[in-house]
Amino acid sequence: MTSIHKKIFRTTLLIIIISLYACKSVQEENVTIKFWAMGSEAEQISKILPEFEKKYPNIKVKVQQIPWTAAQEKLITAFASDNTPDVCQLGNTWIPQFASLNAIIDLSDFIARSSTVKAENFFPGIWETNIIDNRVYGIPWYVDTRLMFYRKDVFERAGFNNPPKNWDELYLLCKKIKELNKGKEKYPIFIPTNEWNSFIIFGLQAGAKLLKEKDTRGNFSSKEFKEAFDYLIRFHKEKLTPFGMMQVTNVYQAMAEEYISIYFSGPWNIPEFKKWMTGNPADKWATAPMPGYRDEYPGLSLAGGSSLVIFKNSKHKNEVWKLIEFLSEPEIQLKVYRVTNNLPSVIEAWNDSSLANDIYMKAFYQQLQRVTSAPKIPEWEQIVFSKLQQYAEFAARGVMTTEEALKKLDEDADRILEKRRWLTFKQNK
């Protein structure tokens, strides 16, 4: 081989090596993010993601739809088999469970470097639901809370031109509505015992600490929670509320027909009320913040919604963070709201006329200023779903007194929290 041939060979070889390296670099830069989202959110968010992929051509997002009813079990199974997604939508009350499993990461370092995701951009009570032991495990994606849906015309007939602002006014209003409905099978308010939220909200309003001893024991027999529990059970004993789903199979129809006039619920029900409240009652319903314990208004409510988390096993954490920042931009939050009806978590998005001028959304904006989280422990949902609802029903039916029901609730909560007590004791030794 002549020197010229050797030179050509070396040059050709160098070109091939450079080309192979360039191709490898492109392959390494192109990543696919696995995004698990729940229910209709998964379907609708896919309409917005092309905008993200256009902004970041090297990042593709693969969305997998998970039914809400199967989501928790599927995520636990994925964690156990090291097959978690990169990013996932988690209900706020689920954050503690996955943080305790060490399945999701602390996002504090990402937040510190971000110009888009800052605590002050979000509703404080919602942001706080994602903080455990001073670490931020999730970024609020959308928010919800509970407040009052009510019949304006019924209130006016009862002598109330404005919704009640405290517990005393709420009770007085319900008594007056009952007097108006004398002899008719109608009720002023609907407080179902198979919905735990109202019992917790009113307990928090009264200043109750729901758990004690570092969240290792129930504290439902406390003076504050007992007062709130008694207050709500009183509506059942005086027949100011129907008992439950046996009497109210369709809450929207019940409101349209004045079978009930007050219901505490969240923003997901606005489209349903609009659908059912047509014709004569179309302009006769409204929303208002929760009444307060005494002089506080709006009264406290629960912080709800979904947050975005990054799983520890993700190999694309930086790319996932870009997606989270994208979904936290006010204009993108509004686009998500328009396709899903889920309320924006970013405060700036609420300046848009679609929200600022919506007569039903104004109350939600007010209420979101006064929300707080439920206890941040993995066992919380087990306590309220399987136990609180059970004893609320027993008390409402008169099978148990308030004292008996709350004592049993504490005993069951203590059993559920037994492992947490043991671990806490072990750590403190």
Side-chain angles (χ1 to χ4, degrees):
M1 184 182 291
T2 65
S3 59
I4 294 175
H5 288 133
K6 288 180 180 178
K7 189 174 182 181
I8 292 171
F9 175 76
R10 290 194 193 101
T11 303
T12 304
L13 184 61
L14 182 61
I15 291 170
I16 291 171
I17 291 170
I18 291 171
S19 298
L20 289 171
Y21 180 80
C23 290
K24 185 179 179 183
S25 297
V26 170
Q27 288 174 349
E28 288 176 346
E29 288 176 1
N30 289 333
V31 300
T32 299
I33 294 171
K34 290 191 294 182
F35 181 8
W36 286 10
M38 316 306 176
S40 62
E41 282 92 336
E43 181 182 346
Q44 299 302 331
I45 194 62
S46 299
K47 299 175 183 178
I48 293 169
L49 289 176
E51 190 173 336
F52 171 77
E53 293 175 345
K54 183 178 179 181
K55 186 175 181 179
Y56 299 101
N58 64 314
I59 306 175
K60 302 299 177 187
V61 183
K62 183 179 179 181
V63 180
Q64 182 171 342
Q65 186 176 26
I66 310 295
W68 271 111
T69 52
Q72 201 163 19
E73 182 180 350
K74 188 171 180 64
L75 282 164
I76 292 293
T77 302
F79 168 73
S81 60
D82 290 326
N83 192 32
T84 52
D86 296 291
V87 58
C88 182
Q89 164 195 357
L90 278 189
N92 291 352
T93 57
W94 295 5
I95 298 285
Q97 179 179 12
F98 289 92
S100 69
L101 291 171
N102 198 26
I104 55 180
I105 67 168
D106 175 11
L107 302 174
S108 301
D109 289 343
F110 283 107
I111 296 165
R113 299 192 298 267
S114 179
S115 58
T116 304
V117 179
K118 295 293 182 187
E120 58 268 24
N121 295 348
F122 299 83
F123 294 102
I126 301 291
W127 179 266
E128 210 274 333
T129 63
N130 294 278
I131 300 175
I132 300 172
D133 296 331
N134 297 315
R135 297 173 180 174
V136 185
Y137 286 96
I139 305 302
W141 185 21
Y142 64 82
V143 298
D144 67 53
T145 188
R146 290 180 183 246
L147 46 60
M148 179 186 293
F149 287 73
Y150 69 98
R151 287 288 301 250
K152 293 187 295 183
D153 54 336
V154 176
F155 279 25
E156 289 166 2
R157 291 202 299 269
F160 276 69
N161 294 321
N162 295 298
K165 288 184 167 52
N166 56 51
W167 290 15
D168 289 341
E169 288 186 7
L170 176 62
Y171 176 71
L172 176 62
L173 169 61
C174 288
K175 293 290 282 185
K176 288 185 175 293
I177 294 174
K178 184 177 175 64
E179 290 172 10
L180 291 175
N181 294 332
K182 194 171 183 180
K184 300 175 184 175
E185 192 185 355
K186 292 184 177 182
Y187 297 86
I189 192 170
F190 184 36
I191 307 173
T193 55
N194 64 337
E195 292 183 9
W196 59 266
N197 305 77
S198 292
F199 293 91
I200 295 300
I201 289 170
F202 279 80
L204 291 169
Q205 286 187 2
K209 292 185 178 179
L210 306 172
L211 302 174
K212 61 185 179 181
E213 297 179 23
K214 297 183 178 180
D215 292 343
T216 65
R217 289 189 182 276
N219 194 35
F220 298 102
S221 295
S222 68
K223 174 187 172 184
E224 293 83 3
F225 192 81
K226 179 181 180 298
E227 181 183 2
F229 193 83
D230 262 337
Y231 175 78
L232 294 181
I233 294 300
R234 185 180 183 184
F235 286 86
H236 285 273
K237 289 181 176 178
E238 297 184 12
K239 301 191 184 305
L240 298 172
T241 173
F243 183 75
M245 297 310 293
M246 294 296 290
Q247 290 176 273
V248 181
T249 55
N250 185 320
V251 70
Y252 319 110
Q253 183 178 357
M255 186 77 83
E257 296 175 353
E258 291 185 37
Y259 185 75
I260 59 171
S261 298
I262 302 169
Y263 181 52
F264 302 125
S265 192
W268 58 87
N269 270 330
I270 287 180
E272 290 297 326
F273 275 108
K274 286 181 177 178
K275 177 177 152 185
W276 283 86
M277 302 286 281
T278 57
N280 184 52
D283 61 348
K284 291 180 170 59
W285 68 284
T287 56
M290 292 294 294
Y293 174 57
R294 287 182 180 160
D295 299 325
E296 312 90 357
Y297 188 76
L300 200 63
S301 191
L302 278 173
S306 281
S307 295
L308 297 170
V309 301
I310 300 178
F311 276 89
K312 185 179 180 181
N313 289 342
S314 173
K315 297 177 182 177
H316 309 300
K317 294 180 178 68
N318 290 324
E319 289 81 6
V320 171
W321 182 252
K322 289 178 181 178
L323 175 62
I324 290 176
E325 286 188 314
F326 171 80
L327 293 173
S328 300
E329 295 172 5
E331 60 272 22
I332 301 302
Q333 288 259 307
L334 284 167
K335 289 181 180 180
V336 172
Y337 163 65
R338 287 170 189 142
V339 297
T340 65
N341 285 316
N342 292 326
L343 303 185
S345 62
V346 175
I347 296 172
E348 185 182 334
W350 287 76
N351 294 328
D352 187 83
S353 59
S354 63
L355 286 162
N357 298 334
D358 188 306
I359 59 172
Y360 304 113
M361 289 302 175
K362 288 180 180 179
F364 279 99
Y365 183 76
Q366 284 180 276
Q367 188 64 69
L368 285 163
Q369 315 297 321
R370 289 218 66 204
V371 294
T372 191
S373 63
K376 299 174 191 174
I377 59 169
E379 303 89 348
W380 176 247
E381 289 193 352
Q382 187 181 353
I383 292 171
V384 291
F385 276 111
S386 66
K387 301 302 178 183
L388 173 56
Q389 293 180 175
Q390 175 186 354
Y391 292 117
E393 180 175 342
F394 288 162
R397 289 188 181 277
V399 176
M400 287 183 172
T401 65
T402 292
E403 289 79 6
E404 290 169 339
L406 297 183
K407 181 183 177 184
K408 291 293 293 181
L409 177 56
D410 277 335
E411 289 173 358
D412 284 348
D414 289 353
R415 277 194 289 272
I416 292 169
L417 295 170
E418 185 176 2
K419 183 179 179 181
R420 169 171 287 271
R421 252 190 331 277
W422 180 82
L423 290 171
T424 301
F425 174 76
K426 187 178 178 182
Q427 290 169 357
N428 292 338
K429 280 188 72 174

